[in-house]
Amino acid sequence: MNSAPTGSARRIALSRAECMEALAGVTVGRVAFSQHALPAIRPANHLVADGWLVIRTRQEASR
């Protein structure tokens, strides 16, 4: 892990393995994406399986 202080907040770089381990410990996270050229962040149910991050969505969720 590498850390770089930015004001009062700290930014920590995680390896892929560390990210997957952290994600495997919870069932709900947030996903960020661009919608109509603006940033959007939504809660997302997920699981980690065989090294993959699987996010559950509904077809209507994009509307």
Side-chain angles (χ1 to χ4, degrees):
M1 267 191 253
N2 299 324
S3 61
T6 55
S8 62
R10 245 179 49 196
R11 187 178 302 186
I12 299 172
L14 300 176
S15 69
R16 183 181 193 283
E18 290 170 318
C19 289
M20 296 305 259
E21 182 180 341
L23 288 166
V26 295
T27 58
V28 178
R30 288 175 284 210
V31 63
F33 56 95
S34 176
Q35 185 175 33
H36 305 293
L38 296 171
I41 301 172
R42 302 285 188 271
N45 294 326
H46 69 272
L47 61 93
V48 176
D50 296 327
W52 287 87
L53 177 64
V54 180
I55 299 173
R56 182 185 306 181
T57 64
R58 295 186 338 255
Q59 186 171 0
E60 301 84 28
S62 66
R63 296 180 189 156

